[in-house]
Amino acid sequence: MSQTMRAIDIKGGAGPIEALHIAEIPRPKPTGAQALVKVKAFGLNRMDLLQRIGQYPVPASAPKTLGVEFSGVIEELGDKPERSFKVGDEVFGLAYGGAYAEYIAVSTHMLVHKPKELSWEECAGIPEVWITATQAMYLVAHFKPGNSILWHAGASSVSIAGIQLAAADSATAVYATARQDEKCQFAVDTLGATAAFNTETQDWVAEVLKATDGKGVDIIIDFIGAGYFQQNLSAVARDGVVVTLGLMGGSKLKEGTDITQLLIKRVTYVGSTLRSRDEEYQGKLRDQLVEHALPKFKDRSFKLLIDKVLPWEQIQDGHRLLEENKTKGKVICTIS
């Protein structure tokens, strides 16, 4: 086997979309619990855009190559892999980086056997978004059946997963927000949300309070950050939880922000990330995904929505699609 491989690289180490190109780099060698996977497809995520321009802190042990989710075939194993994996197995998984490449070395603790019912492209779009939604909803927000929940950016990949998870696990109500009527309708008609509100044309806080008889929602999963901080405090219920997963609306609070409701409502406001978590933590999330979500992927109870599939030679087009913020579902690249 060649000691090199092709991978997406960034000219100058960081830069605009035009800096993305395919280059020849050393092929990784699996050690310990790792497997070397020949990549069939990989998913694109918003963190990739930030990492490309040098604004996303990458774990120290991660390769500089972009990409955290993939599907492919195991070609080699380290000396201490999980017993259930062998050379030739079709898998998908989550990594700390390196998925934009022909090969990736990744812990077997973060691999899942690919079901025959799912395509390579579908599997490549599962790990990051479904595990992130699972983490935010259960481990961080401590969701229980009977809770109500609101997912901001309702047509984003994580919210697509989260809305379905909440609806399937007996939430009393599942709300969503989006910036387009089409995306709001999509959240309700396709994903099963109770209601969705257009943040451009509606007072979404007033709509949430109206829908909940003034109580507010028990859990809010937020990707906007500072831009929705004040409104989240108004929309969350007493003893509610707000989980911040992104800062699309900025990181600096507006002058005059009033945190009184944080105290009066006893709100838990917490930030969370997945990529910086250790392997043991991520492995537990993988197990939870396999137990609760994988059967529903296989029987199609859960929808795996892909907006666009591109050959990896068109990686620049994939990043443009994410930056335009018009997608409903994953953007996937394939390697032939």
Side-chain angles (χ1 to χ4, degrees):
M1 185 183 292
S2 171
Q3 298 303 304
T4 63
M5 66 176 183
R6 294 179 298 160
I8 303 294
D9 202 359
I10 308 168
K11 294 176 184 177
I17 288 175
E18 292 73 21
L20 294 170
H21 70 289
I22 295 177
E24 198 82 11
I25 68 170
R27 179 176 59 81
K29 176 74 176 175
T31 59
Q34 290 183 327
L36 182 71
V37 177
K38 183 174 177 58
V39 177
K40 292 279 191 178
F42 58 85
L44 277 59
N45 292 283
R46 196 161 295 278
M47 75 175 77
D48 302 344
L49 308 183
L50 296 173
Q51 185 179 338
R52 190 198 72 230
I53 61 177
Q55 293 184 7
Y56 191 96
V58 178
S61 61
K64 69 172 185 176
T65 304
L66 298 169
V68 298
E69 59 182 350
F70 61 91
S71 60
V73 180
I74 295 178
E75 291 217 349
E76 193 178 336
L77 290 166
D79 58 355
K80 296 179 181 177
E82 281 193 11
R83 294 180 182 178
S84 61
F85 293 100
K86 64 184 185 301
V87 172
D89 282 353
E90 298 180 346
V91 296
F92 64 95
L94 185 67
Y96 290 110
Y100 285 26
E102 288 183 305
Y103 294 92
I104 184 170
V106 61
S107 171
T108 51
H109 302 315
M110 287 308 299
L111 291 179
V112 178
H113 289 284
K114 174 187 172 295
K116 66 181 185 302
E117 295 89 347
L118 304 181
S119 69
W120 293 112
E121 293 83 0
E122 287 174 319
C123 287
I126 290 173
E128 170 64 18
V129 296
W130 284 86
I131 290 178
T132 295
T134 298
Q135 176 202 23
M137 190 171 141
Y138 292 101
L139 271 67
V140 181
H142 304 294
F143 173 90
K144 296 178 178 61
N147 287 156
S148 58
I149 189 167
L150 167 69
W151 293 84
H152 285 308
S156 69
S157 295
V158 174
S159 290
I160 286 172
I163 290 168
Q164 294 182 81
L165 284 168
D169 203 7
S170 303
T172 53
V174 184
Y175 301 108
T177 66
R179 295 169 61 184
Q180 300 168 24
D181 287 338
E182 180 189 3
K183 289 186 175 182
C184 290
Q185 203 65 41
F186 165 78
V188 174
D189 293 346
T190 302
L191 304 179
T194 308
F197 312 113
N198 187 327
T199 59
E200 297 292 306
T201 61
Q202 294 177 283
D203 181 342
W204 67 266
V205 174
E207 294 295 333
V208 167
L209 293 175
K210 180 181 177 181
T212 58
D213 295 323
K215 175 179 179 289
V217 287
D218 297 313
I219 296 169
I220 296 176
I221 310 295
D222 175 47
F223 306 88
I224 311 302
Y228 279 2
F229 183 87
Q230 189 77 75
Q231 291 136 299
N232 286 337
L233 287 179
S234 298
V236 72
R238 186 180 297 274
D239 294 316
V241 181
V242 181
V243 181
T244 297
L245 299 180
L247 301 170
M248 294 171 62
S251 59
K252 305 290 186 181
L253 293 179
K254 298 176 182 177
E255 185 176 353
T257 298
D258 184 352
I259 66 169
T260 302
Q261 292 177 93
L262 189 69
L263 182 67
I264 293 174
K265 290 184 176 181
R266 303 188 295 268
V267 176
T268 299
Y269 214 117
V270 58
S272 184
T273 61
L274 177 60
R275 195 173 182 181
S276 60
R277 302 285 189 172
D278 63 35
E279 188 177 300
E280 181 181 359
Y281 181 96
Q282 293 196 9
K284 290 177 181 177
L285 285 169
R286 180 217 44 189
D287 294 344
Q288 191 166 4
L289 178 79
V290 169
E291 181 180 353
H292 296 293
L294 196 61
K296 292 182 182 295
F297 295 147
K298 293 166 69 173
D299 68 15
R300 300 295 174 173
S301 299
F302 282 160
K303 298 176 176 63
L304 299 172
L305 298 171
I306 297 175
D307 190 275
K308 192 77 171 180
V309 176
L310 299 167
W312 76 322
E313 291 86 355
Q314 295 179 27
I315 186 63
Q316 293 185 8
D317 294 333
H319 274 231
R320 288 191 186 95
L321 281 171
L322 288 191
E323 289 194 347
E324 289 170 357
N325 200 32
K326 295 179 180 178
T327 55
K328 295 195 294 289
K330 294 293 296 188
V331 176
I332 304 294
C333 283
T334 56
I335 301 177
S336 57

